[in-house]
Amino acid sequence: MEHFLGVRLSWQTTPAIFNMCWSAGKKVEFEGVTYTVEELTEKSFAGVDIALFSAGGSISKKYGPIASDAGCTVVDNSSAFRMADGVPLVIPEVNPEAMAGMKAGKGGIIANPNCSTIIALMAVTPIHRAAGVKRMVVSTYQAASGAGQAAMEELELQTKEVLEGKPVTKKIFPFQYAFNIFSHNSPMTENGYNEEEMKMVKETRKIWKNPSVSITATCIRVPVMRAHAESINLELEKPLTEEEAVDVLSKAPGVSIINDRQANRFPTPLDASNEDNVFVGRVRRDISRSDNHGLDLFVCGDQIKKGAALNAVQIAELLL
């Protein structure tokens, strides 16, 4: 999967694709049309209304302000600006008001949240609005796609190697990935949490504008090709029954319910793969409590689509 730096969106004509010099000249097909990748320069943003950035933090930090100063409105998929003051961190179904007043061609930067944060908050925010979330405990089961095309290819290769009794190739991760799980590969921080876990904590507080909400996360890499899964426990300010929670979720935009207890049928990563919506199930009262102030959920969402690309395009659409 090629991670292009920016896409110039002209809603009346055609997009242009930019990347660094090593990708210039490559051909990319989109909806039956072949485009040639252009080399990114500081002059690339002249006359551009919206740019979608997805090339890593260092490139975003350098070229995002340049694009904004040129009047181009930037939607950035890296972590470069997520926690920056004055930069909206947006999930369109959750907090579109954060980017109120921003328009295409008027400059400014909008940050796309981390994929795990987006998938969690698509499910949890409707409940937060209904009953108020005091504390959220999340365990994620994250697919290879979150680490890029090379990780997906290594998982496929290792699976073949294990089944054929061969030593596994380990280039992307230091651990065997096939038939194994391990702690998320992001760097560890001093408090014992990795950066992925802390992103969920900090980003949720910013998106909800609630610095006091209690959040803890454990992020795990699992040998699934695409779509993340998350187990979520909620402590609520006001009581909410299972039935009320399902009703709230069934009305939430971008959420699909798979919650058939009789058939033991709940969301799976395969259900969510290549789908726009986030899937929610296993909705149940937290029986460790004696009241209706606790809920458990299981959530699956496509990390590439709603967890990244789709969310960025939805932000771009709000700019028009």
Side-chain angles (χ1 to χ4, degrees), residues 45-317:
F45 304 100
V48 177
D49 292 328
I50 301 173
L52 307 182
F53 278 49
S54 189
S58 61
I59 301 299
S60 292
K61 287 178 180 178
K62 178 178 179 180
Y63 287 98
I66 292 172
S68 178
D69 289 344
C72 174
T73 308
V74 173
V75 182
D76 182 52
N77 196 49
S78 79
S79 61
F81 304 107
R82 288 176 186 159
M83 300 310 299
D85 291 339
V87 175
L89 184 63
V90 176
I91 305 170
E93 297 90 341
V94 173
N95 64 329
E97 69 282 354
M99 53 181 286
M102 300 186 74
K103 293 294 182 183
K106 300 298 183 181
I109 298 172
I110 303 166
N112 216 27
N114 175 264
C115 53
S116 299
T117 305
I118 293 173
I119 292 166
L121 295 195
M122 285 292 294
V124 176
T125 299
I127 294 172
H128 179 52
R129 288 172 177 157
V133 171
K134 290 178 62 178
R135 185 171 187 261
M136 178 166 68
V137 180
V138 186
S139 295
T140 71
Y141 313 94
Q142 297 183 222
S145 58
Q149 181 67 30
M152 297 170 73
E153 292 172 352
E154 183 159 290
L155 175 57
E156 182 177 2
L157 174 61
Q158 285 189 3
T159 301
K160 293 177 181 177
E161 290 172 336
V162 170
L163 293 175
E164 293 172 359
K166 298 177 180 178
V168 297
T169 301
K170 292 183 286 187
K171 294 182 179 180
I172 305 302
F173 301 116
F175 311 102
Q176 177 179 313
Y177 194 8
F179 305 99
N180 192 23
I181 67 173
F182 49 85
S183 181
H184 193 276
N185 49 289
S186 57
M188 296 294 294
T189 67
E190 291 183 359
N191 65 6
Y193 285 74
N194 60 46
E195 288 185 358
E196 185 81 357
E197 294 158 352
M198 291 310 300
K199 287 176 184 177
M200 296 194 73
V201 174
K202 295 175 181 179
E203 292 177 17
T204 299
R205 289 171 174 168
K206 179 173 180 176
I207 291 166
W208 282 355
K209 296 182 179 180
N210 184 356
S212 64
V213 64
S214 298
I215 304 164
T216 184
T218 301
C219 295
I220 301 295
R221 189 72 73 185
V222 298
V224 170
M225 196 60 70
R226 183 166 167 173
H228 293 348
E230 304 187 17
S231 173
I232 303 175
N233 175 269
L234 301 174
E235 179 183 350
L236 306 175
E237 295 177 352
K238 297 187 293 185
L240 192 73
T241 67
E242 297 170 358
E243 295 76 16
E244 289 169 337
V246 171
D247 182 62
V248 166
L249 289 165
S250 69
K251 298 173 182 176
V255 173
S256 295
I257 307 293
I258 303 178
N259 196 52
D260 188 343
R261 292 180 179 177
Q262 186 173 358
N264 199 17
R265 179 73 174 93
F266 305 105
T268 71
L270 287 178
D271 293 316
S273 294
N274 204 36
E275 295 291 334
D276 290 349
N277 280 8
V278 168
F279 291 76
V280 185
R282 297 299 315 276
V283 182
R284 61 203 189 277
R285 184 176 72 83
D286 179 353
I287 61 171
S288 71
R289 303 179 60 94
S290 60
D291 54 24
N292 280 322
H293 286 256
L295 282 174
D296 287 297
L297 315 171
F298 190 71
V299 183
C300 292
D302 189 304
Q303 175 274 328
I304 297 173
K305 295 197 78 177
K306 184 53 187 172
L310 174 62
N311 199 76
V313 170
Q314 289 174 315
I315 291 171
E317 290 174 340

